[in-house]
Coordinates of all heavy atoms in Angstrom, one line a residue:
M209 N -37.0 6.9 -10.0 CA -36.0 7.5 -9.2 C -35.2 8.4 -10.1 O -34.7 7.9 -11.2 CB -35.0 6.4 -8.5 CG -34.1 7.0 -7.5 SD -32.9 5.8 -6.8 CE -34.0 4.6 -6.0
N210 N -35.0 9.6 -9.7 CA -34.2 10.5 -10.7 C -32.8 10.2 -10.7 O -32.3 9.5 -9.7 CB -34.6 12.0 -10.4 CG -33.9 12.5 -9.0 OD1 -32.8 12.0 -8.7 ND2 -34.6 13.4 -8.4
S211 N -32.1 10.7 -11.6 CA -30.6 10.3 -11.8 C -29.7 10.8 -10.7 O -28.8 10.1 -10.2 CB -30.1 10.7 -13.2 OG -30.2 12.1 -13.2
K212 N -30.0 11.9 -10.2 CA -29.2 12.4 -9.0 C -29.3 11.6 -7.8 O -28.4 11.3 -7.1 CB -29.5 14.0 -8.8 CG -28.6 14.6 -7.8 CD -28.9 16.1 -7.6 CE -28.0 16.6 -6.6 NZ -28.2 18.1 -6.4
L213 N -30.5 11.3 -7.5 CA -30.9 10.5 -6.3 C -30.2 9.1 -6.5 O -29.6 8.5 -5.5 CB -32.4 10.4 -6.0 CG -32.8 9.5 -4.8 CD1 -32.1 10.1 -3.5 CD2 -34.2 9.6 -4.7
R214 N -30.4 8.5 -7.7 CA -29.7 7.2 -8.0 C -28.3 7.3 -7.7 O -27.7 6.4 -7.2 CB -30.1 6.9 -9.5 CG -29.8 5.5 -9.8 CD -30.2 5.0 -11.1 NE -31.5 5.5 -11.5 CZ -31.9 5.8 -12.6 NH1 -31.2 5.6 -13.7 NH2 -33.2 6.1 -12.9
Y215 N -27.6 8.3 -8.2 CA -26.2 8.5 -8.0 C -25.9 8.5 -6.6 O -24.9 7.8 -6.1 CB -25.7 9.8 -8.7 CG -24.3 10.0 -8.6 CD1 -23.3 9.3 -9.4 CD2 -23.8 11.0 -7.7 CE1 -22.0 9.5 -9.3 CE2 -22.4 11.2 -7.5 CZ -21.5 10.5 -8.3 OH -20.2 10.8 -8.3
I216 N -26.6 9.3 -5.7 CA -26.3 9.5 -4.4 C -26.5 8.2 -3.5 O -25.8 7.8 -2.7 CB -27.2 10.5 -3.7 CG1 -26.8 11.8 -4.3 CG2 -27.2 10.6 -2.2 CD1 -27.8 13.0 -3.9
V217 N -27.4 7.4 -4.0 CA -27.8 6.0 -3.3 C -26.8 5.0 -3.8 O -26.3 4.3 -3.0 CB -29.2 5.7 -3.6 CG1 -29.5 4.3 -3.0 CG2 -30.1 6.7 -2.8
F218 N -26.5 4.9 -5.0 CA -25.9 3.7 -5.5 C -24.3 3.8 -5.6 O -23.7 2.8 -5.5 CB -26.4 3.3 -7.0 CG -27.8 2.7 -6.9 CD1 -28.8 3.4 -7.5 CD2 -28.0 1.5 -6.2 CE1 -30.1 2.9 -7.5 CE2 -29.3 1.0 -6.2 CZ -30.4 1.6 -6.8
Y219 N -23.9 5.0 -5.7 CA -22.5 5.2 -5.9 C -21.7 4.8 -4.5 O -20.8 4.0 -4.6 CB -22.0 6.7 -6.2 CG -20.6 6.9 -6.2 CD1 -19.9 6.5 -7.4 CD2 -19.9 7.6 -5.2 CE1 -18.5 6.6 -7.5 CE2 -18.5 7.7 -5.4 CZ -17.8 7.3 -6.4 OH -16.5 7.5 -6.5
P220 N -22.2 5.1 -3.4 CA -21.5 4.7 -2.0 C -21.6 3.2 -2.0 O -20.7 2.6 -1.6 CB -22.3 5.4 -1.0 CG -22.9 6.6 -1.6 CD -23.2 6.3 -3.1
F221 N -22.7 2.6 -2.4 CA -22.9 1.1 -2.3 C -21.8 0.4 -3.3 O -21.2 -0.5 -2.9 CB -24.3 0.8 -2.8 CG -24.4 -0.7 -2.9 CD1 -24.6 -1.5 -1.7 CD2 -24.5 -1.3 -4.2 CE1 -24.7 -2.8 -1.8 CE2 -24.7 -2.7 -4.2 CZ -24.8 -3.5 -3.1
L222 N -21.7 0.9 -4.5 CA -20.7 0.3 -5.4 C -19.3 0.5 -4.8 O -18.5 -0.4 -5.0 CB -20.8 1.0 -6.8 CG -22.0 0.7 -7.6 CD1 -22.2 1.5 -8.9 CD2 -22.1 -0.8 -7.8
M223 N -18.9 1.6 -4.2 CA -17.7 1.8 -3.7 C -17.3 0.9 -2.6 O -16.3 0.3 -2.4 CB -17.5 3.3 -3.2 CG -17.3 4.3 -4.3 SD -16.0 3.9 -5.5 CE -14.5 4.0 -4.5
I224 N -18.4 0.6 -1.7 CA -18.2 -0.4 -0.6 C -18.0 -1.8 -1.2 O -17.1 -2.5 -0.6 CB -19.4 -0.4 0.2 CG1 -19.4 1.0 1.1 CG2 -19.4 -1.5 1.2 CD1 -20.8 1.2 1.9
V225 N -18.7 -2.1 -2.1 CA -18.5 -3.5 -2.8 C -17.1 -3.5 -3.3 O -16.5 -4.6 -3.2 CB -19.6 -3.8 -3.8 CG1 -19.4 -5.0 -4.7 CG2 -21.0 -3.9 -3.2
F226 N -16.8 -2.5 -4.1 CA -15.5 -2.5 -4.8 C -14.3 -2.7 -3.7 O -13.5 -3.5 -3.8 CB -15.2 -1.3 -5.6 CG -13.9 -1.2 -6.2 CD1 -13.5 -1.9 -7.2 CD2 -13.0 -0.3 -5.6 CE1 -12.2 -1.9 -7.8 CE2 -11.7 -0.2 -6.1 CZ -11.3 -1.0 -7.2
L227 N -14.4 -1.9 -2.7 CA -13.4 -1.9 -1.6 C -13.3 -3.3 -0.8 O -12.3 -3.7 -0.5 CB -13.4 -0.7 -0.7 CG -13.2 0.7 -1.4 CD1 -13.5 1.8 -0.4 CD2 -11.8 0.7 -1.8
A228 N -14.5 -3.8 -0.7 CA -14.6 -5.1 0.1 C -14.0 -6.2 -0.7 O -13.5 -7.2 -0.2 CB -16.1 -5.3 0.4
C229 N -14.1 -6.1 -2.1 CA -13.6 -7.1 -3.0 C -12.1 -7.1 -3.2 O -11.5 -8.0 -3.7 CB -14.4 -7.1 -4.3 SG -16.1 -7.6 -4.0
S230 N -11.6 -5.8 -3.0 CA -10.2 -5.7 -3.3 C -9.3 -6.2 -2.2 O -9.7 -6.1 -0.9 CB -9.8 -4.2 -3.5 OG -10.1 -3.5 -2.4
P231 N -8.2 -6.7 -2.4 CA -7.3 -7.4 -1.3 C -6.7 -6.2 -0.5 O -6.3 -5.2 -1.0 CB -6.2 -8.1 -2.0 CG -6.2 -7.5 -3.5 CD -7.6 -7.1 -3.7
A232 N -6.8 -6.3 0.7 CA -6.4 -5.2 1.6 C -4.9 -5.5 2.1 O -4.3 -6.5 2.1 CB -7.2 -5.3 3.0
L233 N -4.2 -4.3 2.3 CA -2.8 -4.3 2.6 C -2.8 -4.6 4.1 O -3.7 -4.0 4.9 CB -2.2 -3.0 2.3 CG -2.0 -2.6 0.9 CD1 -1.5 -1.2 0.8 CD2 -0.9 -3.5 0.2
Y234 N -1.9 -5.4 4.6 CA -1.9 -5.7 6.0 C -1.6 -4.4 6.8 O -1.0 -3.5 6.4 CB -0.8 -6.8 6.3 CG 0.6 -6.3 6.5 CD1 1.1 -6.0 7.7 CD2 1.4 -6.1 5.3 CE1 2.4 -5.6 7.7 CE2 2.7 -5.7 5.4 CZ 3.3 -5.4 6.7 OH 4.5 -4.9 6.7
V235 N -2.0 -4.5 8.0 CA -1.8 -3.4 9.1 C -0.7 -4.0 9.9 O -0.9 -5.1 10.6 CB -3.1 -3.1 9.8 CG1 -2.8 -2.0 10.9 CG2 -4.1 -2.5 8.8
P236 N 0.4 -3.3 10.1 CA 1.5 -3.8 10.9 C 1.1 -4.1 12.5 O 0.3 -3.4 13.0 CB 2.5 -2.7 10.8 CG 2.2 -1.9 9.7 CD 0.7 -2.0 9.5
T237 N 1.7 -5.1 12.9 CA 1.6 -5.5 14.3 C 2.9 -5.4 15.0 O 4.0 -5.3 14.4 CB 1.0 -6.9 14.4 OG1 1.9 -7.8 13.8 CG2 -0.3 -7.0 13.7
L238 N 2.9 -5.6 16.3 CA 4.1 -5.7 17.1 C 5.0 -6.9 16.6 O 6.3 -6.8 16.5 CB 3.8 -5.9 18.6 CG 5.0 -6.1 19.5 CD1 5.9 -4.8 19.4 CD2 4.6 -6.3 20.9
A239 N 4.4 -8.0 16.3 CA 5.2 -9.2 15.7 C 5.9 -8.8 14.5 O 7.0 -9.2 14.2 CB 4.2 -10.3 15.5
D240 N 5.1 -8.0 13.5 CA 5.8 -7.6 12.3 C 7.0 -6.6 12.6 O 8.0 -6.7 12.0 CB 4.7 -6.7 11.4 CG 3.6 -7.6 11.0 OD1 3.9 -8.8 10.6 OD2 2.5 -7.1 11.0
S241 N 6.9 -5.7 13.5 CA 8.0 -4.9 13.8 C 9.2 -5.6 14.4 O 10.4 -5.2 14.2 CB 7.5 -3.7 14.8 OG 7.3 -4.2 16.0
Q242 N 8.9 -6.6 15.2 CA 10.1 -7.4 15.8 C 10.7 -8.2 14.7 O 11.9 -8.5 14.8 CB 9.5 -8.3 16.9 CG 9.0 -7.6 18.2 CD 8.3 -8.4 19.1 OE1 7.7 -9.5 18.8 NE2 8.3 -8.0 20.4
K243 N 9.9 -8.6 13.7 CA 10.6 -9.4 12.6 C 11.6 -8.7 11.8 O 12.6 -9.3 11.4 CB 9.4 -9.8 11.6 CG 9.7 -10.7 10.5 CD 8.5 -11.2 9.7 CE 9.0 -12.0 8.5 NZ 7.8 -12.5 7.7
V244 N 11.4 -7.4 11.5 CA 12.4 -6.5 10.8 C 13.2 -5.6 11.7 O 14.1 -4.9 11.2 CB 11.7 -5.7 9.7 CG1 11.3 -6.7 8.6 CG2 10.6 -4.8 10.2
G245 N 12.9 -5.5 13.0 CA 13.7 -4.7 13.9 C 13.5 -3.3 13.9 O 14.4 -2.6 14.1
V246 N 12.2 -3.0 13.5 CA 11.9 -1.5 13.6 C 10.6 -1.3 14.3 O 9.9 -2.3 14.6 CB 11.7 -0.9 12.1 CG1 13.0 -1.0 11.3 CG2 10.6 -1.5 11.4
S247 N 10.3 -0.1 14.7 CA 9.0 0.1 15.5 C 7.8 -0.1 14.7 O 7.7 0.0 13.5 CB 9.0 1.6 16.1 OG 8.8 2.4 15.1
T248 N 6.7 -0.5 15.4 CA 5.4 -0.7 14.7 C 4.9 0.6 14.1 O 4.4 0.7 13.0 CB 4.4 -1.2 15.8 OG1 4.9 -2.3 16.4 CG2 3.1 -1.4 15.0
N249 N 5.3 1.7 14.8 CA 4.9 3.0 14.3 C 5.6 3.4 12.9 O 5.0 4.0 12.0 CB 5.3 4.1 15.2 CG 4.7 5.5 14.9 OD1 3.6 5.6 14.6 ND2 5.5 6.5 15.0
S250 N 6.9 2.9 12.8 CA 7.6 3.1 11.6 C 7.0 2.4 10.4 O 6.8 2.8 9.3 CB 9.1 2.6 11.7 OG 9.8 3.5 12.5
L251 N 6.6 1.2 10.7 CA 5.8 0.3 9.7 C 4.5 0.9 9.3 O 4.1 1.0 8.1 CB 5.6 -1.1 10.2 CG 6.9 -1.9 10.4 CD1 6.6 -3.3 11.0 CD2 7.7 -2.1 9.2
V252 N 3.8 1.5 10.4 CA 2.5 2.1 10.0 C 2.7 3.4 9.2 O 2.0 3.5 8.2 CB 1.8 2.6 11.4 CG1 0.6 3.4 11.1 CG2 1.3 1.2 12.1
I253 N 3.7 4.2 9.4 CA 4.1 5.3 8.7 C 4.5 4.8 7.3 O 4.1 5.4 6.2 CB 5.2 6.1 9.3 CG1 4.6 6.8 10.6 CG2 5.7 7.2 8.3 CD1 5.7 7.5 11.5
G254 N 5.3 3.8 7.1 CA 5.7 3.3 5.8 C 4.5 2.9 5.0 O 4.4 3.1 3.8
R255 N 3.5 2.3 5.7 CA 2.3 1.9 5.0 C 1.5 3.0 4.5 O 1.1 3.0 3.3 CB 1.4 1.0 5.9 CG 0.1 0.5 5.3 CD -0.8 -0.1 6.3 NE -1.9 -0.8 5.8 CZ -3.1 -0.2 5.4 NH1 -3.2 1.1 5.7 NH2 -4.1 -0.8 4.9
Q256 N 1.4 4.0 5.3 CA 0.7 5.3 4.9 C 1.3 6.0 3.7 O 0.7 6.4 2.8 CB 0.6 6.2 6.2 CG -0.2 7.5 6.0 CD -0.1 8.3 7.1 OE1 0.5 8.1 8.1 NE2 -1.1 9.3 7.2
I257 N 2.7 6.0 3.7 CA 3.4 6.6 2.6 C 3.2 5.9 1.4 O 3.0 6.4 0.3 CB 4.9 6.8 3.0 CG1 5.1 7.8 4.1 CG2 5.6 7.4 1.7 CD1 6.5 7.8 4.7
Y258 N 3.3 4.5 1.5 CA 3.1 3.7 0.4 C 1.7 3.8 -0.3 O 1.6 4.1 -1.4 CB 3.3 2.2 0.8 CG 3.1 1.1 -0.2 CD1 3.9 1.2 -1.4 CD2 2.1 0.2 -0.1 CE1 3.7 0.2 -2.4 CE2 2.0 -0.8 -1.1 CZ 2.8 -0.8 -2.2 OH 2.6 -1.7 -3.2
V259 N 0.7 3.9 0.6 CA -0.7 4.0 0.1 C -0.9 5.4 -0.5 O -1.5 5.6 -1.6 CB -1.7 3.8 1.2 CG1 -3.0 4.2 0.9 CG2 -1.7 2.4 1.7
N260 N -0.4 6.4 0.2 CA -0.6 7.9 -0.3 C 0.2 8.1 -1.6 O -0.4 8.8 -2.4 CB -0.3 8.9 0.8 CG -1.3 8.7 1.9 OD1 -2.4 8.3 1.8 ND2 -0.9 9.3 3.0
N261 N 1.4 7.8 -1.6 CA 2.2 8.1 -2.8 C 2.1 7.2 -4.0 O 2.0 7.6 -5.1 CB 3.7 8.3 -2.4 CG 3.9 9.5 -1.5 OD1 3.3 10.6 -1.7 ND2 4.8 9.4 -0.5
C262 N 2.2 5.9 -3.7 CA 2.3 5.0 -4.8 C 0.9 4.8 -5.6 O 0.9 4.5 -6.8 CB 2.9 3.7 -4.3 SG 4.5 3.9 -3.4
S263 N -0.1 4.8 -4.8 CA -1.4 4.7 -5.4 C -1.9 5.8 -6.3 O -2.8 5.7 -7.1 CB -2.5 4.4 -4.3 OG -2.8 5.5 -3.6
S264 N -1.2 7.0 -6.2 CA -1.5 8.1 -7.1 C -1.1 7.8 -8.6 O -1.6 8.4 -9.5 CB -0.8 9.3 -6.7 OG 0.6 9.2 -6.7
C265 N -0.3 6.8 -8.8 CA 0.1 6.6 -10.2 C -0.3 5.2 -10.6 O -0.4 4.9 -11.9 CB 1.7 6.6 -10.3 SG 2.4 8.3 -10.1
H266 N -0.5 4.3 -9.7 CA -0.8 2.8 -10.2 C -1.4 2.1 -9.0 O -1.5 2.6 -7.9 CB 0.4 2.1 -10.5 CG 1.6 2.0 -9.6 ND1 1.5 1.0 -8.6 CD2 2.7 2.6 -9.4 CE1 2.6 1.2 -7.9 NE2 3.3 2.2 -8.3
S267 N -2.1 0.9 -9.3 CA -2.6 0.1 -8.3 C -1.5 -0.4 -7.4 O -0.4 -0.7 -7.9 CB -3.3 -1.0 -9.0 OG -4.4 -0.7 -9.7
L268 N -1.8 -0.6 -6.1 CA -0.8 -1.0 -5.2 C -0.6 -2.5 -5.2 O -1.5 -3.2 -5.4 CB -1.2 -0.6 -3.8 CG -1.3 0.9 -3.5 CD1 -1.7 1.1 -2.0 CD2 0.0 1.6 -3.6
Y269 N 0.7 -2.8 -5.2 CA 1.1 -4.3 -5.2 C 1.0 -4.7 -3.8 O 1.5 -3.9 -2.8 CB 2.5 -4.5 -5.7 CG 2.6 -4.4 -7.2 CD1 3.1 -3.2 -7.8 CD2 2.1 -5.4 -8.0 CE1 3.1 -3.1 -9.2 CE2 2.3 -5.3 -9.4 CZ 2.7 -4.2 -10.0 OH 2.8 -4.0 -11.3
R270 N 0.6 -5.8 -3.5 CA 0.6 -6.4 -2.1 C 2.0 -6.7 -1.8 O 2.8 -7.2 -2.7 CB -0.4 -7.5 -1.9 CG -1.8 -7.0 -2.1 CD -2.8 -8.2 -2.0 NE -2.6 -8.9 -0.8 CZ -3.3 -10.0 -0.5 NH1 -4.3 -10.3 -1.2 NH2 -3.1 -10.6 0.7
P271 N 2.5 -6.6 -0.5 CA 3.9 -6.8 -0.2 C 4.3 -8.2 -0.7 O 5.4 -8.4 -1.1 CB 4.0 -6.6 1.3 CG 2.9 -5.6 1.6 CD 1.8 -6.0 0.6
E272 N 3.5 -9.3 -0.5 CA 3.8 -10.6 -0.9 C 3.8 -10.9 -2.3 O 4.3 -11.9 -2.7 CB 2.9 -11.6 -0.2 CG 1.4 -11.4 -0.4 CD 0.7 -10.4 0.4 OE1 1.2 -9.7 1.2 OE2 -0.6 -10.5 0.4
H273 N 3.6 -9.9 -3.1 CA 3.8 -10.1 -4.6 C 5.2 -10.2 -5.1 O 5.5 -10.8 -6.1 CB 3.1 -8.8 -5.3 CG 3.1 -8.8 -6.7 ND1 2.1 -9.6 -7.3 CD2 3.7 -8.3 -7.6 CE1 2.3 -9.5 -8.6 NE2 3.3 -8.7 -8.9
L274 N 6.2 -9.6 -4.4 CA 7.5 -9.6 -4.7 C 8.4 -10.1 -3.6 O 8.0 -10.0 -2.4 CB 8.0 -8.2 -5.1 CG 7.3 -7.5 -6.3 CD1 7.8 -6.1 -6.4 CD2 7.5 -8.3 -7.6
T275 N 9.6 -10.6 -3.9 CA 10.6 -11.0 -2.9 C 11.3 -9.7 -2.3 O 11.3 -8.7 -2.9 CB 11.6 -11.9 -3.4 OG1 12.4 -11.3 -4.4 CG2 11.0 -13.2 -4.0
K276 N 12.1 -9.9 -1.3 CA 12.8 -8.8 -0.7 C 13.8 -8.2 -1.7 O 13.9 -7.0 -1.9 CB 13.6 -9.2 0.5 CG 14.3 -8.1 1.2 CD 15.0 -8.6 2.5 CE 15.8 -7.5 3.1 NZ 16.5 -8.1 4.4
S277 N 14.5 -9.0 -2.6 CA 15.4 -8.6 -3.6 C 14.7 -7.9 -4.7 O 15.3 -6.9 -5.3 CB 16.4 -9.7 -4.1 OG 15.6 -10.6 -4.7
E278 N 13.6 -8.3 -5.0 CA 12.8 -7.7 -6.1 C 12.3 -6.3 -5.7 O 12.4 -5.4 -6.4 CB 11.5 -8.6 -6.5 CG 12.0 -9.8 -7.1 CD 10.9 -10.8 -7.5 OE1 10.0 -10.8 -6.6 OE2 10.9 -11.6 -8.5
W279 N 11.8 -6.1 -4.3 CA 11.5 -4.9 -3.9 C 12.7 -4.0 -3.8 O 12.5 -2.8 -4.1 CB 10.8 -5.0 -2.5 CG 9.4 -5.4 -2.4 CD1 8.9 -6.5 -1.9 CD2 8.3 -4.8 -3.0 NE1 7.6 -6.7 -2.0 CE2 7.1 -5.5 -2.8 CE3 8.1 -3.6 -3.7 CZ2 5.9 -5.1 -3.2 CZ3 6.9 -3.1 -4.2 CH2 5.7 -4.0 -3.9
A280 N 13.8 -4.5 -3.4 CA 15.0 -3.7 -3.4 C 15.4 -3.1 -4.8 O 15.9 -2.0 -4.9 CB 16.2 -4.5 -2.9
K281 N 15.1 -3.8 -5.9 CA 15.4 -3.3 -7.3 C 14.3 -2.3 -7.5 O 14.6 -1.4 -8.3 CB 15.4 -4.6 -8.2 CG 16.6 -5.4 -8.0 CD 16.5 -6.6 -9.0 CE 17.6 -7.6 -8.7 NZ 17.4 -8.9 -9.5
V282 N 13.1 -2.5 -7.2 CA 11.9 -1.7 -7.7 C 12.0 -0.3 -6.9 O 11.7 0.7 -7.5 CB 10.6 -2.4 -7.4 CG1 9.4 -1.4 -7.6 CG2 10.5 -3.5 -8.4
M283 N 12.4 -0.3 -5.7 CA 12.3 0.9 -4.9 C 13.1 2.1 -5.4 O 12.5 3.2 -5.4 CB 12.7 0.6 -3.4 CG 11.7 -0.3 -2.6 SD 10.1 0.4 -2.5 CE 10.5 1.9 -1.6
P284 N 14.3 2.0 -5.9 CA 15.0 3.2 -6.3 C 14.4 3.8 -7.6 O 14.3 5.0 -7.7 CB 16.5 2.6 -6.6 CG 16.6 1.5 -5.9 CD 15.2 0.8 -5.7
V285 N 13.8 3.0 -8.5 CA 13.1 3.4 -9.7 C 11.9 4.2 -9.3 O 11.7 5.3 -9.7 CB 12.8 2.3 -10.6 CG1 12.0 2.8 -11.8 CG2 14.0 1.6 -11.1
M286 N 11.1 3.5 -8.4 CA 9.9 4.2 -7.9 C 10.1 5.5 -7.1 O 9.4 6.5 -7.1 CB 9.0 3.2 -7.2 CG 8.4 2.1 -8.0 SD 7.3 2.7 -9.2 CE 8.3 2.5 -10.7
Q287 N 11.2 5.4 -6.3 CA 11.6 6.6 -5.5 C 11.8 7.9 -6.4 O 11.2 8.9 -6.0 CB 12.8 6.4 -4.8 CG 13.2 7.6 -4.0 CD 14.6 7.4 -3.1 OE1 15.3 6.4 -3.4 NE2 14.9 8.2 -2.3
N288 N 12.6 7.7 -7.5 CA 12.6 8.8 -8.4 C 11.3 9.2 -9.1 O 11.1 10.5 -9.1 CB 13.7 8.4 -9.5 CG 15.1 8.2 -9.0 OD1 15.5 8.8 -8.0 ND2 15.9 7.4 -9.6
K289 N 10.5 8.2 -9.5 CA 9.3 8.6 -10.1 C 8.3 9.4 -9.1 O 7.6 10.3 -9.5 CB 8.6 7.4 -10.7 CG 9.3 6.9 -12.0 CD 8.6 5.7 -12.5 CE 9.3 5.2 -13.7 NZ 8.5 4.1 -14.4
A290 N 8.3 8.8 -7.8 CA 7.4 9.4 -6.9 C 8.0 10.6 -6.2 O 7.3 11.2 -5.4 CB 7.0 8.3 -5.9
K291 N 9.2 10.9 -6.4 CA 10.0 12.0 -5.8 C 9.8 11.9 -4.2 O 9.4 12.9 -3.6 CB 9.3 13.3 -6.2 CG 9.7 13.5 -7.7 CD 9.0 14.9 -8.2 CE 9.4 15.1 -9.6 NZ 9.1 14.1 -10.6
I292 N 10.1 10.7 -3.7 CA 10.1 10.6 -2.3 C 11.6 10.6 -1.7 O 12.5 10.2 -2.4 CB 9.4 9.2 -1.7 CG1 10.1 8.1 -2.4 CG2 8.0 9.3 -2.1 CD1 9.5 6.8 -1.9
K293 N 11.7 11.0 -0.5 CA 13.1 11.2 0.2 C 13.6 9.8 0.5 O 12.8 8.8 0.7 CB 12.9 12.0 1.5 CG 12.5 13.5 1.1 CD 12.3 14.2 2.4 CE 11.1 15.0 2.4 NZ 10.5 15.4 3.5
D294 N 14.9 9.7 0.9 CA 15.4 8.5 1.3 C 14.9 7.8 2.5 O 14.6 6.7 2.5 CB 16.9 8.7 1.5 CG 17.8 8.9 0.2 OD1 17.3 8.5 -1.0 OD2 18.9 9.4 0.3
D295 N 14.6 8.7 3.5 CA 14.0 8.1 4.7 C 12.6 7.6 4.4 O 12.2 6.6 5.0 CB 14.0 9.1 5.8 CG 13.3 10.4 5.6 OD1 13.2 10.8 4.3 OD2 12.7 11.0 6.5
E296 N 11.8 8.2 3.5 CA 10.6 7.7 3.2 C 10.6 6.3 2.4 O 9.9 5.5 2.7 CB 9.8 8.7 2.3 CG 9.4 10.0 3.1 CD 8.9 11.1 2.2 OE1 9.3 11.2 1.1 OE2 7.9 11.8 2.6
K297 N 11.6 6.3 1.6 CA 11.8 5.1 0.8 C 12.1 3.9 1.8 O 11.5 2.8 1.7 CB 13.0 5.2 -0.1 CG 13.2 3.9 -1.0 CD 14.5 4.1 -1.8 CE 15.6 3.8 -1.2 NZ 16.9 3.6 -1.8
E298 N 12.9 4.1 2.8 CA 13.3 3.1 3.7 C 12.1 2.8 4.6 O 11.9 1.5 4.8 CB 14.4 3.6 4.7 CG 14.8 2.5 5.6 CD 16.2 2.9 6.3 OE1 16.9 3.7 5.8 OE2 16.4 2.3 7.4
L299 N 11.3 3.7 4.9 CA 10.0 3.3 5.7 C 9.2 2.5 4.8 O 8.5 1.4 5.3 CB 9.2 4.6 6.1 CG 9.9 5.4 7.2 CD1 9.3 6.8 7.3 CD2 9.9 4.7 8.6
I300 N 8.9 2.8 3.6 CA 8.1 2.0 2.7 C 8.8 0.5 2.6 O 8.1 -0.5 2.6 CB 8.0 2.6 1.3 CG1 7.1 3.9 1.4 CG2 7.3 1.7 0.3 CD1 7.1 4.8 0.2
F301 N 10.0 0.5 2.3 CA 10.8 -0.8 2.1 C 10.5 -1.7 3.3 O 10.3 -2.8 3.1 CB 12.2 -0.5 1.8 CG 13.0 -1.7 1.5 CD1 12.8 -2.4 0.2 CD2 13.9 -2.2 2.4 CE1 13.5 -3.6 0.0 CE2 14.6 -3.4 2.1 CZ 14.4 -4.1 0.9
N302 N 10.7 -1.1 4.5 CA 10.5 -2.0 5.7 C 9.2 -2.5 5.9 O 9.0 -3.6 6.2 CB 11.0 -1.1 7.0 CG 12.5 -0.9 7.0 OD1 13.2 -1.7 6.6 ND2 12.9 0.2 7.7
Y303 N 8.2 -1.6 5.5 CA 6.8 -2.1 5.5 C 6.6 -3.3 4.5 O 6.0 -4.3 4.8 CB 5.9 -0.9 5.2 CG 4.4 -1.4 4.8 CD1 3.6 -1.9 5.9 CD2 3.9 -1.5 3.6 CE1 2.4 -2.3 5.7 CE2 2.7 -2.0 3.3 CZ 1.9 -2.4 4.4 OH 0.6 -2.8 4.1
L304 N 7.1 -3.1 3.3 CA 7.0 -4.1 2.3 C 7.7 -5.5 2.6 O 7.1 -6.5 2.3 CB 7.4 -3.5 0.9 CG 6.5 -2.4 0.4 CD1 7.2 -1.8 -0.8 CD2 5.2 -2.9 0.0
I305 N 8.8 -5.4 3.1 CA 9.6 -6.7 3.3 C 9.1 -7.5 4.5 O 9.4 -8.7 4.6 CB 11.1 -6.4 3.4 CG1 11.5 -5.6 4.6 CG2 11.6 -5.7 2.2 CD1 12.9 -5.5 5.0
V306 N 8.3 -7.0 5.4 CA 7.8 -7.8 6.5 C 7.1 -9.0 6.0 O 7.2 -10.1 6.5 CB 6.9 -6.9 7.4 CG1 6.3 -7.8 8.4 CG2 7.8 -5.8 8.1
R307 N 6.3 -8.7 5.0 CA 5.5 -9.8 4.5 C 5.6 -10.1 3.0 O 4.7 -10.6 2.3 CB 4.0 -9.6 4.7 CG 3.7 -9.4 6.3 CD 2.3 -9.7 6.6 NE 2.0 -9.4 8.0 CZ 0.9 -9.4 8.6 NH1 -0.2 -9.6 7.8 NH2 0.7 -9.1 9.8
C308 N 6.8 -9.9 2.7 CA 7.2 -10.2 1.2 C 7.2 -11.6 0.8 O 7.3 -12.4 1.7 CB 8.5 -9.5 0.7 SG 9.9 -10.1 1.6
K309 N 7.2 -11.9 -0.5 CA 7.2 -13.2 -1.0 C 8.5 -14.0 -0.5 O 9.6 -13.4 -0.7 CB 7.0 -13.3 -2.4 CG 7.0 -14.7 -3.1 CD 6.5 -14.7 -4.5 CE 7.5 -14.2 -5.5 NZ 7.1 -14.3 -6.8
P310 N 8.5 -15.2 0.1 CA 9.8 -15.8 0.5 C 10.5 -16.3 -0.8 O 10.0 -16.4 -1.9 CB 9.2 -17.0 1.2 CG 7.9 -17.2 1.0 CD 7.3 -15.9 0.5
L311 N 11.8 -16.3 -0.6 CA 12.6 -16.8 -1.8 C 12.4 -18.2 -2.4 O 12.0 -19.0 -1.7 CB 14.1 -16.7 -1.5 CG 14.6 -15.3 -1.2 CD1 16.1 -15.3 -0.7 CD2 14.6 -14.4 -2.5

């Protein structure tokens, strides 16, 4: 098998295996939105902003990796680095605290 064909065949396979093995971020539900008192749509947007902006610099932390107070300390620092607006920071924060590590 020539190297170009090998790349075309095996690269997608390796990506599927890699993505299947990585822990997935939760997708917000109605119960999640009721837990923090925001709409499900807001949580979905927060997740999308988190994935799109934060993964450009580092691997994403799962929400349950930190407590609510730890996320509150990290968010202002990351907001400056990622150059996100206050409303975007709040959307991300709400997404992260739904399933954050309990105290």
